[in-house]
Amino acid sequence: ALGIPLALCLRALGERKVFTKRASTVGVYIAAIVVLFLYHQFFLPNLEMVAVSRFVALNLALYLFFLVIPYLGQKGGFEDYVLKLLTDFVGTFVYASVLFLGLVAILATIDLLFSVNISSKLYLDLWLIIAGIFAPAYFLAGIPAPGVKVHHKSVYNKFLQILLLYIILPLLTAYTAILYAYFIKIIVTQTWPEGIVSHLVLWYSLFSSVVLFFVYRLQEENKWANIFLKYYPKLILPLLVMMFISMGIRINAYGITENRYFVIIGGLWVAGSMLYYAFKKSPAGVKIVFAAAMAAVLAVLGPWSAYTISKFSQNRQLEKILTRNDMLVDGTIIPAKKISAE
C-alpha cells in the first residue's frame, strides 16, 4: 500500500527528468524497495494507533507529492489537472464496480442454473483482480503526459459547476452562519464548550479548503465564485482563532496528546491556506498541496512528531500531579501520604 504511491512519485520524478540514466533509475527503485522493507521492519511492528496513524499520514503525503511533482515550478493549470484526476478516479470506481457486479451476476447465475458450486472465495479474488489490476491500469493510463495541459472547460462541466457554485457554496455559507451564531453565544454566555468546537471547525475548514481549491479557477467567469473567494477565507479566520483558543484551553488543562497535535497541525495548515486565498492573487494550489504533504510527513516523523511531543507533554503532566501531591522525591515516585478523593 505504501509502495504504490512511492512508485508513482518516483515515476513522476523520472518524467520530470530528475534522473535520466537507466542505472540511476534502477538504483532509485532498488533503494525504494530497501526503504519499504526497513519501514515494515521498524515502523510497522503492529496495527496500533502510532503505527497506523504514521502509515496513513505517509500514504497521504506520498499521494499529495504525486499530485504536485508534475507542476512544481510551473504556473497555472494545477487545479484543472487535479480535478481531472479526481473525476477520472470516480469514473474508474464506477466502471470497476459495474464490471464486478456484472461478473458476479454471471457467476451467480451459472452457479444457480447449473449447480457448479462456485466457491465464495472466487468472488473476493475477482474483486481483488478488478480493484488491484484493472482499476489502477485504467486510471493511470488516463494521466496526462508531461507537458500536456488539461483543458479548463473539459473538466469544469455544467454538472460540476452547478454542484460547486449553487449547492456546495450555499451550504458552506449557511454552515458558516451557524458557527458564527454559536461563536456569539460563547461570547455572550462566557461558557466555553469542551472539545466539540475544535473538531467542528477543523473538519469544516478542511472541507472548505478543498472546495476553495476547485472553485478558484471559476472566479474569472462567475461573479458568485469571485465574491465567495473574496470574502469567505477571511470569514473562516475568526473561527480558526476560536478553534485554537478552545484547543489551548484543553492543552493547558490536560497537555498535548496525539489527537490534539494533529488538530493543531491541521488548523495551522488551514489557516495558512486561508491567508493565502485571502491576500494573494496568484494561483496557490501547488504550494498549498505541497505544504499539506510536508505537514503530514513532519507530523509523524522526527523529534517534533506528534508521538514525541505528546509523550513529553504527558510525562510533564504526570510529574506536575505527582509533585503537587508530594509523591515525587529525587525523581522517585512514592506513595501519597494524604490525598483528597477529588
Side-chain angles (χ1 to χ4, degrees), residues 79 212-219 229 277 281-284:
E79 291 84 359
L212 288 174
F213 176 87
F214 291 120
V215 171
Y216 187 85
R217 292 283 280 129
L218 297 173
Q219 62 178 323
L229 277 163
Y277 280 122
K281 300 302 179 184
S282 58

Side-chain angles (χ1 to χ4, degrees), residues 71 77-85 142-144 147-155 217:
Y71 280 83
F78 179 64
E79 291 84 359
D80 298 339
Y81 172 75
V82 174
L83 187 56
K84 172 179 168 47
L85 295 190
I143 294 179
V148 176
K149 297 293 184 180
V150 178
H151 194 266
H152 172 63
K153 293 189 180 298
S154 67
V155 289
R217 292 283 280 129

Side-chain angles (χ1 to χ4, degrees), residues 35 50-51 95 150 209 226 243 280 311:
V35 168
V50 171
Y95 296 152
V150 178
S209 299
N226 184 269
M243 184 198 78
K280 276 281 188 179
K311 184 185 293 185

Side-chain angles (χ1 to χ4, degrees), residues 270-286:
V270 171
S273 302
M274 293 304 161
L275 287 170
Y276 208 113
Y277 280 122
F279 302 107
K280 276 281 188 179
K281 300 302 179 184
S282 58
V286 175

Side-chain angles (χ1 to χ4, degrees), residues 137-332:
Y138 181 85
F139 172 74
L140 294 174
I143 294 179
V148 176
K149 297 293 184 180
V150 178
H151 194 266
H152 172 63
K153 293 189 180 298
S154 67
V155 289
Y156 283 90
N157 53 49
K158 187 175 181 180
F159 167 80
L160 187 62
Q161 289 192 39
I162 291 173
L163 177 65
L164 285 171
L165 297 175
Y166 304 113
I167 296 178
I168 293 179
L169 295 195
L171 288 173
L172 283 178
T173 304
Y175 197 87
T176 304
I178 293 170
L179 286 178
Y180 263 94
Y182 189 65
F183 193 8
I184 294 169
K185 176 189 172 185
I186 291 173
I187 294 173
V188 172
T189 61
Q190 296 291 305
T191 303
W192 207 270
E194 295 186 3
I196 188 172
V197 170
S198 301
H199 292 284
L200 276 177
V201 174
L202 179 64
W203 289 110
Y204 149 79
S205 56
L206 284 172
F207 181 74
S208 299
S209 299
V210 174
V211 172
L212 288 174
F213 176 87
F214 291 120
V215 171
Y216 187 85
R217 292 283 280 129
L218 297 173
Q219 62 178 323
E220 295 179 0
E221 55 194 64
N222 186 279
K223 188 176 181 180
W224 165 227
N226 184 269
I227 293 172
F228 190 85
L229 277 163
K230 187 176 181 179
Y231 295 105
Y232 188 75
K234 297 173 185 176
L235 287 172
I236 289 185
L237 291 173
L239 297 175
L240 289 171
V241 171
M242 179 175 69
M243 184 198 78
F244 284 123
I245 292 173
S246 174
M247 188 55 60
I249 292 172
R250 303 289 290 175
I251 290 173
N252 183 59
Y254 306 112
I256 298 173
T257 61
E258 287 90 347
N259 287 340
R260 291 179 194 133
Y261 184 98
F262 292 140
V263 170
I264 292 171
I265 290 295
L268 290 173
W269 176 79
V270 171
S273 302
M274 293 304 161
L275 287 170
Y276 208 113
Y277 280 122
F279 302 107
K280 276 281 188 179
K281 300 302 179 184
S282 58
V286 175
K287 296 175 183 177
I288 289 173
V289 175
F290 183 79
M294 289 301 301
V297 172
L298 294 175
V300 295
L301 295 177
W304 48 76
S305 71
Y307 319 116
T308 304
I309 298 298
S310 61
K311 184 185 293 185
F312 173 79
S313 175
Q314 291 305 306
N315 281 336
R316 289 296 302 273
Q317 288 292 112
L318 177 61
E319 187 178 341
K320 287 180 184 178
I321 293 170
L322 294 173
T323 302
R324 188 167 63 244
N325 292 281
D326 299 321
M327 295 175 66
L328 194 64
V329 178
D330 297 327
T332 302

